[in-house]
Amino acid sequence: MTSEPDISRSLVIKDLSVEIDGREILKGFNLTVPKGEVHAIMGPNGTGKSTLAKVLAGHEDYTVTGGQVLMDGIDLLAMSVDERSRAGMFLAFQYPNEIPGVSNANFIRAARQARLPDGEEIDAVAFYKEMYAKMAELEMDKSFTGRSVNEGFSGGEKKRNEILQMMMLDPKYAVLDETDSGLDIDALKVVAQGVNSLRSKDRGFLVITHYQRLLSYIVPDIVHVMWDGRIVRSGGKDLALELEEKGYEWVKEELAA
Amino acid sequence: MSHDSATLEAVQIESDGNFSYPEDYDLDAGYGLNAGVVDYISNVKDEADWLRDFRQRALKVFEDKPMPTHWASRDLENIHFQNIRYYLAKKQRATRNWEDVPDDVKRTFERLGIPEKERKFLAGVEAQFDSEAAYSNIKDEVAKDGVIFVNSTEGLREHPELFRKWFGKVIPTGDNKFSALNSAVFSGGSFIYVPPGVKVRHPLQAYFRINAEQFGQFERTLIIVDEGAEVTYMEGCTAPKFDTATLHSAVVELVAMKDAKIQYITVQNWSNNVFNLVTKRAIAHENAEVRWIDCNIGSRLTMKYPGVVMKGRKARGEVISIALANTGQHQDTGAKMIHAADETTSNVVSKSISVGEGRSTYRGQVHIPRHLKGCRNNTECDALLINSRSRTDTYPAITVRGNQHAVQHEASVSQVSAEQIFYMQQRGLSEGEAMSLSVNGFVNDLVREFPMEYSVELKRLIDLEMEGSVG
């Protein structure tokens, strides 16, 4: 971490400024997440954490007014939402959407199919075998394959389902937007286990959270504190504990000083 | 035939899809509608006097009836009856070269996986492919059980007693302006009779029968299923019909005798210039069951409200329909359930999808008179809007008198939201793929009612429609 990160193996966000409805949310945001590392972003509500997640995924409501984002050296912002996904960017949603009538299995299968070259078909038997194994890891009942995507799922089930999709899509970079919200401690452990099983030298994680709790289970390499559209402090995993203890007011006071 | 300005204008109108056809038919009824044209059709078919009279009377009724624009779309006023050909004999069918078929049409055929030979037929290039053989196989097979499966002209000629007994009884000439039009100029369509107790195992496919002749503009179908007998009839196919004719107006009459069962399945995909104005109705006698399964895609304006008159005790009627309206299209569909006996049951499930500037309308009529008891109706109509410019309306007319009935009506309108599409795209699906997955999800439970091969085709068709609707 002391050496310069390799741009061709990193998610690099440089001087990123973003507006929504004419209001500036990200104000020259800088962050580099090399593959193999887990970075956590903490901060109070309204500082732009979720905006960052949505912008990385390419949500059309947000306007990038400056800066750039490179994923392994490739201009992420020039790509459409689905291109980014297929190129390896995954976002675990804070509020996953429901898709009535579309089974979970069909949805994930369609997403996998979208990554294959034209004319190539998924091997259905191997696909189900793989999915059932991953569902077992996440302690999801097999019946979830046949249920409509997120429809009638509890908060915890929705989050598990996000992690299942992440596992099945094998992204290069995964952004987890408040994945801990709405989870009880048991579900949190299961979800964290799923994420940890995906940690690898070929994958980078950006874990966005309001609370330290999640970071006891997904132990980050670096913790960043976000304030008013920028990162204002970075440190090791102990920074999260310090924040938990002293609260965000502490950061505010430090900034004012 | 002279090339006067009216002719040229009509050809232009009718060749909206870049098609043209030669104008040197040695034999046709010409353009426009009058007593002479109707007579001409009767002459070609060498019809009996009663049928000649029937047609002529129908023409009068057609002429006297106003366009139903007081409740229906004003777009009906754009039908120019004098610019239409009402009859082309079999041998004078339109021909065109495969090279003349637009590339996008050819691509559509490819995407739908339609075999080469069939493509040429569907594009109107070839007169027929193997339908003749397929049809005669089916016909011979069912004939062993005494089932009659012929076209309406043959039915009238070979089985006049049977035909006449029910012809125009389910849907009288004067039912509406377009049933009157059909009654005056009909040709083509099926005549089916299933004797008592015979359960036809395989669906009878009009596809083959109609292909063996030509697509009729004014088809007339009459199906009579005798006591305790059963049949499934399938009409249409998912391949787009690139027809030169702009007006299609069919009449379909079904008669289900005591304990009989009829299932009538339609999948239609018209080209964008077609007015598709169809009257479909069934009579269900005691303990009989009639199901209309109807899928409408394409056309400029479709008006179709399949109905069941439940005439005998414990009769059952059902309409299951899917309509997809893309930009420039109006699907005005629904159902009519007329309860005319005790303990009759009807069920209507309608799903419509409006995409772009497409418009869907549901019109449902449920009628239960005061003197009956123990009748039940369930109506569900769900509409899906794919963007804010599209439109959907629901006009339910439920008349229930008496207090010994159970009636239930549910309607919903939902939208494929931008957030939902974003979520799906974030998983790697293109916008078009995301939309078609949403639409397929919406109609999923109804598609299961379709025979296997139809449901697969239907899914592919929806994919194509959605792909095309992404800017």
Side-chain angles (χ1 to χ4, degrees):
Chain A
M1 268 162 274
T2 44
S3 59
E4 274 295 297
D6 179 356
I7 296 294
S8 73
R9 289 181 54 79
S10 300
L11 180 68
V12 179
I13 305 168
K14 252 193 267 182
D15 296 325
L16 187 65
S17 293
V18 172
E19 279 183 11
I20 184 164
D21 300 331
R23 212 153 37 87
E24 194 173 39
I25 309 285
L26 296 187
K27 302 169 180 174
F29 184 92
N30 286 289
L31 175 67
T32 297
V33 181
K35 278 182 175 162
E37 294 186 8
V38 174
H39 287 225
I41 292 188
M42 300 186 69
N45 289 329
T47 51
K49 300 193 302 293
S50 281
T51 295
L52 176 66
K54 292 259 173 71
V55 168
L56 290 176
H59 197 291
E60 63 176 8
D61 286 356
Y62 300 87
T63 312
V64 175
T65 53
Q68 61 175 164
V69 180
L70 300 175
M71 184 164 81
D72 295 347
I74 297 160
D75 184 1
L76 190 74
L77 301 182
M79 289 189 253
S80 67
V81 179
D82 49 312
E83 283 167 350
R84 294 180 197 199
S85 166
R86 294 193 300 269
M89 169 60 67
F90 184 89
L91 170 62
F93 282 60
Q94 183 176 5
Y95 304 110
N97 287 79
E98 298 178 0
I99 314 170
V102 177
S103 76
N104 226 3
N106 276 347
F107 180 51
I108 296 174
R109 197 173 158 166
R112 281 274 283 261
Q113 182 69 48
R115 285 159 169 77
L116 295 181
D118 257 351
E120 221 173 286
E121 286 286 328
I122 278 176
D123 175 354
V125 177
F127 170 79
Y128 275 96
K129 209 177 148 196
E130 181 187 340
M131 189 162 64
Y132 285 144
K134 285 172 175 159
M135 288 171 77
E137 267 184 67
L138 292 167
E139 296 174 20
M140 286 173 83
D141 191 86
K142 273 189 184 176
S143 66
F144 279 94
T145 50
R147 289 176 57 182
S148 295
V149 179
N150 296 326
E151 205 180 30
F153 287 25
S154 70
E157 286 164 348
K158 283 184 182 173
K159 295 300 171 75
R160 277 181 219 218
N161 205 28
E162 292 294 285
I163 304 303
L164 174 67
Q165 291 174 46
M166 179 169 79
M167 288 173 143
M168 293 298 288
L169 298 179
D170 192 25
K172 292 183 177 131
Y173 297 91
V175 179
L176 276 59
D177 188 10
E178 308 253 1
T179 295
D180 49 336
S181 69
L183 289 188
D184 61 36
I185 194 73
D186 293 327
L188 186 70
K189 281 182 188 167
V190 173
V191 163
Q193 216 165 32
V195 173
N196 287 331
S197 74
L198 288 186
R199 288 177 82 149
S200 109
K201 63 176 175 41
D202 294 319
R203 194 175 350 257
F205 281 95
L206 189 56
V207 179
I208 294 170
T209 182
H210 190 74
Y211 301 105
Q212 188 275 334
R213 193 177 68 149
L214 178 69
L215 304 180
S216 304
Y217 300 99
I218 303 172
V219 180
D221 297 295
I222 311 242
V223 174
H224 306 278
V225 180
M226 196 163 169
W227 192 274
D228 193 23
R230 286 185 203 99
I231 285 175
V232 292
R233 264 191 92 151
S234 299
K237 60 176 193 277
D238 295 340
L239 180 57
L241 293 169
E242 204 175 343
L243 272 174
E244 185 81 352
E245 195 186 312
K246 298 183 179 171
Y248 289 113
E249 284 304 308
W250 162 65
V251 181
K252 202 173 164 183
E253 283 158 21
E254 284 220 333
L255 280 175
Chain B
M1 192 171 144
S2 67
H3 291 248
D4 54 39
S5 60
T7 305
L8 288 172
E9 193 192 344
V11 169
Q12 223 138 35
I13 287 165
E14 296 186 338
S15 61
D16 231 357
N18 298 333
F19 294 134
S20 60
Y21 50 78
E23 289 157 44
D24 55 351
Y25 295 116
D26 47 340
L27 236 162
D28 73 33
Y31 291 93
L33 187 57
N34 53 51
V37 167
V38 173
D39 245 348
Y40 175 91
I41 296 171
S42 288
N43 286 340
V44 171
K45 292 176 177 290
D46 194 19
E47 288 176 336
D49 287 343
W50 72 267
L51 191 52
R52 288 176 177 270
D53 292 346
F54 177 92
R55 286 186 187 272
Q56 292 295 348
R57 274 200 313 272
L59 177 65
K60 291 240 161 48
V61 174
F62 168 73
E63 285 167 346
D64 289 347
K65 271 197 182 291
M67 275 293 195
T69 41
H70 59 288
W71 62 269
S73 168
R74 296 195 75 86
D75 196 22
L76 288 173
E77 282 164 5
N78 294 314
I79 301 172
H80 302 293
F81 292 103
Q82 295 312 318
N83 291 348
I84 289 168
R85 291 172 193 236
Y86 291 84
Y87 183 77
L88 292 171
K90 186 175 174 179
K91 57 182 175 183
Q92 299 101 35
R93 55 177 300 111
T95 57
R96 56 177 87 102
N97 292 322
W98 180 242
E99 286 69 37
D100 300 334
V101 178
D103 285 341
D104 62 323
V105 172
K106 289 180 183 167
R107 263 198 308 278
T108 305
F109 286 146
E110 256 165 56
R111 293 292 306 274
L112 284 169
I114 294 165
E116 189 78 23
K117 257 192 109 74
E118 220 168 313
R119 285 181 208 172
K120 294 194 172 173
F121 168 77
L122 290 165
V125 173
E126 237 162 58
Q128 56 201 49
F129 57 118
D130 298 334
S131 296
E132 201 94 57
Y135 163 53
S136 82
N137 280 348
I138 297 170
K139 193 175 144 187
D140 292 349
E141 180 66 34
V142 296
K144 287 180 203 150
D145 296 320
V147 176
I148 299 166
F149 178 30
V150 293
N151 69 40
S152 61
T153 309
E154 210 179 323
L156 272 164
R157 200 178 296 139
E158 311 287 329
H159 312 278
E161 294 309 308
L162 207 48
F163 202 110
R164 209 175 157 178
K165 187 173 171 193
W166 292 106
F167 175 65
K169 300 296 194 303
V170 186
I171 301 169
T173 297
D175 186 80
N176 64 75
K177 190 171 176 76
F178 293 94
S179 64
L181 175 64
N182 176 282
S183 299
V185 299
F186 76 89
S187 79
S190 297
F191 172 68
I192 292 172
Y193 171 75
V194 185
V198 173
K199 295 180 169 131
V200 182
R201 270 186 304 146
H202 300 294
L204 297 181
Q205 301 221 25
Y207 182 50
F208 295 119
R209 215 227 67 246
I210 293 167
N211 282 2
E213 304 156 11
Q214 71 178 89
F215 292 126
Q217 266 180 271
F218 302 101
E219 285 171 21
R220 183 91 190 193
T221 288
L222 173 59
I223 300 177
I224 302 154
V225 180
D226 221 323
E227 290 192 6
E230 293 177 14
V231 73
T232 293
Y233 180 81
M234 306 203 322
E235 145 187 83
C237 67
T238 54
K241 286 189 204 165
F242 298 94
D243 214 307
T244 43
T246 51
L247 175 62
H248 288 253
S249 190
V251 166
V252 178
E253 297 176 287
L254 310 184
V255 181
M257 304 303 285
K258 184 169 178 282
D259 300 324
K261 280 186 185 172
I262 303 177
Q263 183 161 245
Y264 193 107
I265 301 169
T266 308
V267 174
Q268 269 166 342
N269 181 18
W270 298 101
S271 53
N272 280 351
N273 56 338
V274 167
F275 286 90
N276 181 34
L277 312 168
V278 177
T279 312
K280 287 179 165 174
R281 199 170 303 149
I283 288 180
H285 290 271
E286 188 181 336
N287 199 39
E289 179 180 301
V290 176
R291 298 182 89 197
W292 297 99
I293 299 181
D294 210 273
C295 178
N296 300 292
I297 291 175
S299 85
R300 170 172 171 173
L301 172 66
T302 286
M303 291 173 66
K304 194 200 281 185
Y305 323 98
V308 183
V309 180
M310 286 152 279
K311 219 179 161 184
R313 210 179 127 255
K314 286 182 182 286
R316 300 176 297 281
E318 187 165 29
V319 173
I320 289 174
S321 71
I322 297 173
L324 197 160
N326 224 320
T327 300
Q329 301 172 349
H330 183 180
Q331 301 285 1
D332 194 325
T333 59
K336 281 187 182 174
M337 291 300 183
I338 312 298
H339 291 256
D342 290 343
E343 297 173 70
T344 46
T345 307
S346 61
N347 185 36
V348 178
V349 185
S350 157
K351 297 215 179 193
S352 69
I353 302 133
S354 308
V355 190
E357 282 157 26
R359 182 175 170 197
S360 308
T361 304
Y362 171 82
R363 291 178 209 274
Q365 189 188 342
V366 177
H367 181 77
I368 304 178
R370 188 187 299 277
H371 66 277
L372 298 182
K373 49 180 185 292
C375 298
R376 282 184 299 169
N377 165 264
N378 174 56
T379 302
E380 285 169 48
C381 46
D382 300 321
L384 185 71
L385 300 176
I386 302 231
N387 64 47
S388 52
R389 285 171 301 158
S390 49
R391 174 171 173 186
T392 184
D393 316 274
T394 302
Y395 305 98
I398 300 179
T399 325
V400 181
R401 299 204 166 80
N403 49 14
Q404 302 176 74
H405 310 293
V407 178
Q408 193 171 308
H409 177 88
E410 279 176 45
S412 77
V413 179
S414 48
Q415 279 210 38
V416 176
S417 68
E419 290 304 314
Q420 192 179 329
I421 296 292
F422 173 67
Y423 181 68
M424 297 169 94
Q425 281 188 276
Q426 209 299 307
R427 299 306 184 243
L429 303 179
S430 69
E431 192 182 354
E433 287 165 343
M435 290 209 283
S436 61
L437 203 58
S438 301
V439 171
N440 275 303
F442 174 71
V443 298
N444 201 9
D445 51 337
L446 289 197
V447 170
R448 280 193 212 123
E449 301 288 336
F450 287 76
M452 186 64 176
E453 69 267 34
Y454 269 55
S455 58
V456 172
E457 283 182 47
L458 206 56
K459 192 188 165 302
R460 270 192 280 179
L461 202 58
I462 290 172
D463 289 348
L464 275 177
E465 281 288 319
M466 291 301 112
E467 230 171 73
S469 66
V470 177

